[in-house]
Amino acid sequence: MFQELSGANSSKGQVSEFVLMGFPGIHTWQHWLSLPLAWLYLLALSANILILIIISHEATLHQPMYHFLGILAVVDMGLATTIMPKILAILWFDAKAISLPECFLQMYVIHCFVAMESGVFVCMAMDRYVAICRPLHYTSIVTRSFVAKATVFMALRSCLLTIPVPVLAAQRQYCSRNEIEHCLCSNRGVTRLACDDRTISSMYQLLLAWTLMGSDLGLIMLSYALILHSVLKLNSAEAASKALSTCTSHLILILFFYTVIVVISVTHSAAMTVPLIPVLLNVLHNVIPPALNPVVYALKNKELRHGLYKVLKLKVKDN
């Protein structure tokens, strides 16, 4: 699809490739950033693979909550792998050129994985809501069928609704400039090079962000508001503490994920005197959550820690 659109555009005398310049303002020493970024990428891959191994090997973790966590691990690895090899190639080998079809494909996959991660967070919030607020009905509501249907729905929603983003970008005319002041093919970074009007493309991405991410965040906040209301009614302080502890790690990751998205949107919209900030935030948002998610869950979740000890053949020290 992107190859056809690119071929049609090239016949009109447009540029044949884009050049990803990297981090604006620090081109002379940006290669030093490859060290922490490579470390984060390796951490993301190894930690998420370990999470998948733990969940598959530990029978007690074959529950809906951990199935969603496994899906999150796969999405995280996909998101990090979509951008990090190219970024490291830019920083290490100065491989800045990227063809138009590859650029638009990367743009699509990034949007798709980010939307899927948001959808998985919604599923996990709903799972915690049913487990805490409707415990007697949990096994009848959150079944394997529910997990499968929710996963398929979130995947289809993410894949279909994000298609117009690269398609609209590919239909623009790129007749002169081809240097993108970014490490990846972001929609804004690419379409700002267009010679013709990019209003429709910008409006669709804004609409997608508000409807998709906004509705997801709204459902998550509603779920946790109901959870908090239910927990506050518990007579036992110990039971309330246990119920909240199961949600702490999830809330930490959700707040980080959506807060960075809001900050990126604000910094992109504002006239930034330091363009490095939104670019760096955009890159870190695609690599830090994949590295952070499994670490936070492993630290906060007792069952995962026990599974980790078993996989690594360590003595269990938790009480």
Side-chain angles (χ1 to χ4, degrees):
M1 177 178 63
F2 300 129
Q3 182 71 50
E4 294 175 357
L5 289 170
S6 176
N9 286 340
S10 298
S11 65
K12 299 177 183 178
Q14 296 199 59
V15 298
S16 59
E17 65 179 16
F18 291 124
V19 179
L20 294 169
M21 300 302 293
F23 296 95
I26 60 170
H27 294 155
T28 56
W29 58 272
Q30 64 179 355
H31 57 279
W32 290 106
L33 291 176
S34 65
L35 298 178
L37 289 177
W39 180 83
L40 283 172
Y41 180 48
L42 290 176
L43 176 61
L45 290 182
S46 58
N48 282 292
I49 289 173
L50 186 57
I51 287 289
L52 291 174
I53 292 174
I54 293 171
I55 293 174
S56 63
H57 280 70
E58 188 61 34
T60 59
L61 300 182
H62 294 173
Q63 304 173 30
M65 181 178 73
Y66 297 105
H67 289 320
F68 287 130
L69 182 57
I71 296 168
L72 181 65
V74 173
V75 171
D76 280 341
M77 287 191 292
L79 179 59
T81 303
T82 299
I83 68 165
M84 285 310 303
K86 182 59 180 178
I87 291 177
L88 294 178
I90 293 171
L91 300 180
W92 285 342
F93 310 112
D94 204 35
K96 298 179 179 179
I98 183 171
S99 68
L100 270 65
E102 289 175 335
C103 188
F104 297 131
L105 178 61
Q106 186 191 62
M107 183 189 301
Y108 169 69
V109 176
I110 291 172
H111 280 80
C112 189
F113 275 129
V114 170
M116 287 177 66
E117 183 153 356
S118 179
V120 173
F121 279 141
V122 173
C123 293
M124 296 175 78
M126 293 174 62
D127 173 82
R128 291 301 84 201
Y129 163 75
V130 178
I132 295 174
C133 300
R134 299 288 187 273
L136 298 179
H137 301 90
Y138 181 79
T139 54
S140 62
I141 296 176
V142 187
T143 60
R144 288 187 177 182
S145 176
F146 172 83
V147 174
K149 290 177 182 178
T151 303
V152 171
F153 173 76
M154 290 300 174
L156 289 176
R157 183 197 70 159
S158 302
C159 294
L160 295 178
L161 292 181
T162 54
I163 288 177
V165 175
V167 170
L168 289 172
Q171 290 177 338
R172 304 279 64 77
Q173 301 293 313
Y174 302 96
C175 53
S176 55
R177 299 178 299 162
N178 72 334
E179 294 184 348
I180 303 173
E181 287 292 335
H182 212 306
C183 295
L184 51 88
C185 291
S186 68
N187 184 49
R188 186 176 184 276
V190 172
T191 56
R192 70 186 301 178
L193 302 178
C195 303
D196 57 351
D197 184 45
R198 58 187 177 94
T199 303
I200 296 178
S201 178
S202 299
M203 287 182 62
Y204 184 81
Q205 184 166 31
L206 183 64
L207 179 65
L208 184 67
W210 279 104
T211 54
L212 195 70
M213 298 294 183
S215 60
D216 285 354
L217 183 58
L219 287 173
I220 292 170
M221 292 298 101
L222 176 61
S223 297
Y224 278 99
L226 294 173
I227 288 173
L228 181 61
H229 180 264
S230 178
V231 167
L232 291 176
K233 294 192 298 182
L234 294 176
N235 295 325
S236 171
E238 182 180 355
S241 176
K242 184 178 179 180
L244 288 176
S245 67
T246 62
C247 303
T248 304
S249 54
H250 191 201
L251 277 174
I252 292 172
L253 300 177
I254 287 172
L255 289 174
F256 179 84
F257 180 80
Y258 288 103
T259 299
V260 175
I261 288 180
V262 172
V263 172
I264 291 174
S265 301
V266 172
T267 53
H268 269 309
S269 301
M272 294 296 297
T273 57
V274 185
L276 171 65
I277 295 176
V279 172
L280 186 59
L281 282 175
N282 202 342
V283 172
L284 292 178
H285 180 255
N286 291 319
V287 69
I288 287 183
L292 185 66
N293 290 349
V295 174
V296 172
Y297 273 109
L299 290 175
K300 297 294 296 182
N301 189 285
K302 185 177 180 179
E303 288 76 14
L304 271 180
R305 286 200 303 274
H306 286 174
L308 176 62
Y309 292 144
K310 289 184 179 180
V311 169
L312 299 180
K313 302 185 185 304
L314 299 174
K315 183 179 179 181
V316 178
K317 299 180 180 180
D318 286 331
N319 294 326

